Amino acid sequence: MKLTVTDVHKSFGATQVLRGASLTVQEGDLAAVLGPSGCGKTTLLRIVAGFENLDTGSVRIGDREVAGLPPEKRKVGIVPQEAALFPHLSVARNVGFGLPRGSSGRTERIEECLELVGLAGYGERMPHQISGGQQQRVALARALAPRPGVVLLDEPFNALDRSLRVSVRDEVRAALKRAGATAVLVTHDQEEALSMADTVAVMREGLIVQEGTPAAVYAAPRDLGVATFVGEAVVLAASGGGRDTVSCELGSLPRRGDGPAGPGRVALRPEQFVLRTPGEGSGGLVERVEFFGHDAAVTVALESGTVIRARTRGDVPHRPGDRVGVTVEGPVLFFAG
Ligand code: ATP
């Protein structure tokens, strides 16, 4: 079901944690709430779940206002940070925990949810007999079993090591999609948010400051804070010369969007830097080459002292110590002020 959070305020004593947070998640979408530690993500999630009461504002699941209702009346499924399975119950009994005992179709629903998360046939195992990633998927099956209107995932991959995290998050996304669930994922990991979610909501100091598809937020962040939090950027002093150009130490560059002339800063994305032969563009010295297979990141110290990190193709010919020229491709983000 659609989730609509509107203008939620919440204080703990004198500390104002949410200052008018609003968030909309369309039915069937996975939204990531992305923000630095302490910005209020978990508090927002707990308010949607009903574990905390809001001071003012509204939380609607479908057409129903749920603020004020106890958690069990909200039809919300929760996947906590660590799977938190009941260790003395089998996988099947964990998944069935939220389904009334003896209800018709209970066994079938448990099996169906295990299938959704790719664990058909695991019902008789005990939690300690499956891996951490599988435990997290059982936790998701348990959350999905009562057919919740919204599924909330609170940094669900934190306890997993990095190599496992990528595959588990693909599996979790696939299971949510198969179930047609509306879901909110809270994370401080931008790669996780950008790669998994249909929409991202960037949170800062108790407010959602921008919502949109990952590509839209990356391409058109509303301010420098969002630009540097969502994706990498090199920030340089600049001046908006006219409606559509901006000048900085890397030259006069086309500007994304238009706006007033005057001082400000540009944010340059790693894929906008092009490495050339010395003499073209700004000169610099290669400091580091990180090879990722399909692509590479090359760190270059420019003669001005500015350090940039360029994303290039994997077959990069450069080595640390090489002299290169650097130019910038495509329109750049400019923020006045
Ligand atoms: P993290 O990523 O570190 O989990 P977060 O963005 O989820 O952070 P919250 O856990 O929502 O942030 O906390 C936001 C602020 O609210 C913090 O300063 C925290 O100390 C404060 N806070 C949260 N819960 C309570 C509480 N029950 N009583 C008092 N202060 C609280």
Side-chain angles (χ1 to χ4, degrees):
M1 284 186 231
K2 182 176 175 179
L3 170 70
T4 319
V5 175
T6 313
D7 201 18
V8 168
H9 287 77
K10 174 72 181 177
S11 296
F12 293 106
T15 316
Q16 209 182 5
V17 175
L18 298 180
R19 301 185 297 129
S22 296
L23 171 73
T24 305
V25 186
Q26 299 298 336
E27 177 154 13
D29 269 2
L30 167 58
V33 176
L34 176 66
S37 185
C39 70
K41 303 181 295 294
T42 300
T43 302
L44 182 66
L45 211 68
R46 289 174 58 78
I47 282 175
V48 174
F51 299 145
E52 296 287 355
N53 287 320
L54 44 71
D55 297 338
T56 58
S58 144
V59 178
R60 299 181 80 83
I61 296 177
D63 296 331
R64 201 161 65 114
E65 175 64 52
V66 297
L69 293 181
E72 64 277 11
K73 295 266 166 67
R74 296 188 177 202
K75 288 184 70 70
V76 164
I78 293 164
V79 181
Q81 285 202 5
E82 289 176 26
L85 302 180
F86 303 109
H88 57 292
L89 297 182
S90 68
V91 163
R93 290 182 65 193
N94 266 284
V95 174
F97 192 78
L99 301 172
R101 289 201 150 248
S103 57
S104 76
R106 188 171 184 272
T107 313
E108 291 75 9
R109 180 64 185 155
I110 292 171
E111 207 36 56
E112 196 174 276
C113 288
L114 282 173
E115 215 161 280
L116 278 175
V117 299
L119 289 175
Y122 281 69
E124 293 316 307
R125 299 230 195 154
M126 296 304 283
H128 73 268
Q129 295 173 316
I130 60 176
S131 71
Q134 289 170 335
Q135 289 181 19
Q136 204 47 282
R137 283 148 67 192
V138 173
L140 175 61
R142 178 176 62 185
L144 290 171
R147 302 181 197 279
V150 176
V151 179
L152 307 177
L153 304 103
D154 186 6
E155 309 244 15
F157 312 112
N158 271 8
L160 306 176
D161 54 31
R162 188 140 189 92
S163 54
L164 196 59
R165 217 179 280 175
V166 173
S167 62
V168 176
R169 78 190 180 206
D170 288 350
E171 284 154 357
V172 164
R173 180 183 155 87
L176 288 167
K177 291 292 153 192
R178 278 196 290 272
T182 305
V184 182
L185 165 78
V186 156
T187 180
H188 62 265
D189 180 332
Q190 51 146 299
E191 187 191 308
E192 190 166 292
L194 296 180
S195 64
M196 261 188 96
D198 299 303
T199 61
V200 287
V202 182
M203 191 163 187
R204 201 165 59 204
E205 293 170 6
L207 279 174
I208 302 287
V209 292
Q210 189 168 4
E211 282 180 87
T213 63
V217 174
Y218 184 80
R222 57 167 274 179
D223 58 33
L224 194 60
V226 175
T228 51
F229 196 71
V230 178
E232 245 180 79
V234 171
V235 178
L236 298 174
S239 104
R243 281 176 62 83
D244 49 16
T245 61
V246 59
S247 61
C248 67
E249 64 170 79
L250 291 167
S252 177
L253 305 169
R255 161 180 180 175
R256 179 181 284 278
D258 55 20
R265 278 171 293 178
V266 282
L268 307 171
R269 297 297 195 189
E271 65 277 12
Q272 295 193 281
F273 295 111
V274 185
L275 302 185
R276 301 186 178 277
T277 47
E280 283 185 77
S282 307
L285 204 61
V286 174
E287 283 195 334
R288 183 169 181 217
V289 178
E290 295 157 87
F291 179 64
F292 301 117
H294 41 83
D295 65 356
V298 182
T299 305
V300 179
L302 300 178
E303 279 153 18
S304 62
T306 299
V307 175
I308 63 123
R309 192 161 174 267
R311 279 276 169 179
T312 67
R313 286 171 37 162
D315 53 356
V316 53
H318 306 292
R319 294 285 166 269
D322 285 359
R323 296 217 151 268
V324 289
V326 176
T327 58
V328 177
E329 199 175 55
V332 298
L333 297 163
F334 174 73
F335 302 100

